[in-house]
Amino acid sequence: MKTEGIIIAIDGFSACGKSTLAKQLAEKLDYTYIDTGAMYRAVTYYFIKHQLDWNNPAQVAMALAEIQIDFRRDEDGSLHTFLNGEDVEKQIRTMEVSASVSPVATISAVRRFLVQQQQALGEKKSCILDGRDIGTVVFPEASLKIFLTADPQERARRRLKELLEKGQSVSLGEIVNNLTERDHIDSTREDSPLRQADDAVVIDNTVLSMEEQLAMIKVLAEMRGA
Ligand code: CDP
């Protein structure tokens, strides 16, 4: 992994391909990829698993004191999220977690806890982070900020395909509802709402192929010193 380089922030709405893009770009540039959404999902999974009430500040504080998240690579090179030493990559992608993650992500104590870790992980630079508040809150000084968007129907179709391939039984309607609800909660919450940073490059990838999108963003990253 390179130790000198830039921070690249990728923000945007739910399921618009941020993590696929971030992973591919990280591979091309030999950068570290940090999936901040996976961290919010892991915290949510912990609350569900231990039947904790995230509206109760004492229970949240107790939970956060117990939670340790890290990312590890599989033998095939794919990145997995670990919660207290357990591989939870599959569990955090379920509709059950997707249904609760946005309410959990409104809690300031949870955000403070995770943002601090994200900033520490990105300290060495040469890092790509994707999420909702990377360019505005986590790394406002990032050298390159991308704000991704795509047509909501197209996003829902992509997410359905992804989940069906993972063997989850879910309908297009359920996904549309979940994406709409998460986008609404994420954009209207008080603490660090999803919004485009003033200096972000906005890319609508509805009709772009992955190759076209990657090539475009790689040029932007190299122009900024990646
Ligand atoms: O991949 P997808 O677009 O479905 O979502 P994700 O990136 O896994 O993020 C899941 C949820 O975590 C979002 O809907 C937000 O509620 C929350 N999140 C956040 O608040 N801030 C971030 N930096 C990343 C995710």
Side-chain angles (χ1 to χ4, degrees):
M1 238 5 104
K2 283 188 195 165
T3 50
E4 302 237 326
I6 62 168
I7 298 267
I8 301 175
I10 304 179
D11 289 303
F13 296 104
S14 302
C16 60
K18 296 181 299 294
S19 62
T20 311
L21 167 68
K23 265 183 223 159
Q24 292 181 346
L25 189 62
E27 211 163 285
K28 279 241 183 275
L29 297 174
D30 192 23
Y31 269 35
T32 302
Y33 165 51
I34 300 163
D35 179 351
T36 66
M39 300 171 86
Y40 287 92
R41 287 174 177 275
V43 168
T44 304
Y45 174 67
Y46 185 94
F47 287 152
I48 295 172
K49 186 177 168 190
H50 296 277
Q51 300 181 341
L52 296 170
D53 175 9
W54 52 79
N55 293 311
N56 177 331
Q59 290 197 19
V60 170
M62 254 165 32
L64 296 181
E66 295 297 322
I67 291 177
Q68 215 228 322
I69 298 167
D70 64 297
F71 298 105
R72 301 181 200 170
R73 286 203 181 276
D74 209 356
E75 302 95 59
D76 68 2
S78 63
L79 214 54
H80 285 229
T81 310
F82 278 70
L83 172 63
N84 295 338
E86 181 200 350
D87 184 347
V88 294
E89 188 55 37
K90 205 167 160 204
Q91 292 87 321
I92 64 170
R93 308 289 167 189
T94 60
M95 286 307 284
E96 189 186 15
V97 169
S98 294
S100 297
V101 64
S102 286
V104 168
T106 64
I107 303 166
S108 291
V110 170
R111 303 204 70 82
R112 274 197 301 275
F113 174 75
L114 293 180
V115 167
Q116 201 178 32
Q117 295 179 30
Q118 291 155 12
Q119 288 171 336
L121 287 168
E123 212 176 23
K124 290 198 194 91
K125 304 269 173 67
S126 301
C127 210
I128 303 175
L129 299 96
D130 81 330
R132 304 293 186 286
D133 59 343
I134 310 303
T136 52
V137 175
V138 184
F139 284 109
E141 75 290 3
S143 305
L144 174 61
K145 300 180 188 178
I146 303 287
F147 192 86
L148 269 193
T149 68
D151 171 72
Q153 286 299 324
E154 178 59 24
R155 292 196 268 134
R157 275 193 294 271
R158 289 178 189 165
R159 182 51 52 94
L160 177 67
K161 185 167 172 274
E162 218 173 271
L163 292 179
L164 291 178
E165 278 169 5
K166 283 184 184 156
Q168 290 195 36
S169 70
V170 58
S171 69
L172 186 65
E174 254 178 288
I175 292 179
V176 170
N177 290 342
N178 177 251
L179 299 187
T180 312
E181 186 179 65
R182 279 202 285 135
D183 285 347
H184 175 71
I185 300 175
D186 294 347
S187 317
T188 55
R189 69 181 172 223
E190 220 162 277
D191 190 341
S192 325
L194 164 64
R195 67 168 184 84
Q196 186 189 316
D198 296 334
D199 50 351
V201 179
V202 183
I203 297 179
D204 183 328
N205 68 16
T206 310
V207 295
L208 288 182
S209 70
M210 280 316 301
E211 293 73 28
E212 288 168 329
Q213 172 177 260
L214 183 62
M216 190 194 265
I217 295 171
K218 187 165 172 273
V219 170
L220 290 175
E222 284 166 351
M223 280 166 60
R224 283 164 171 83

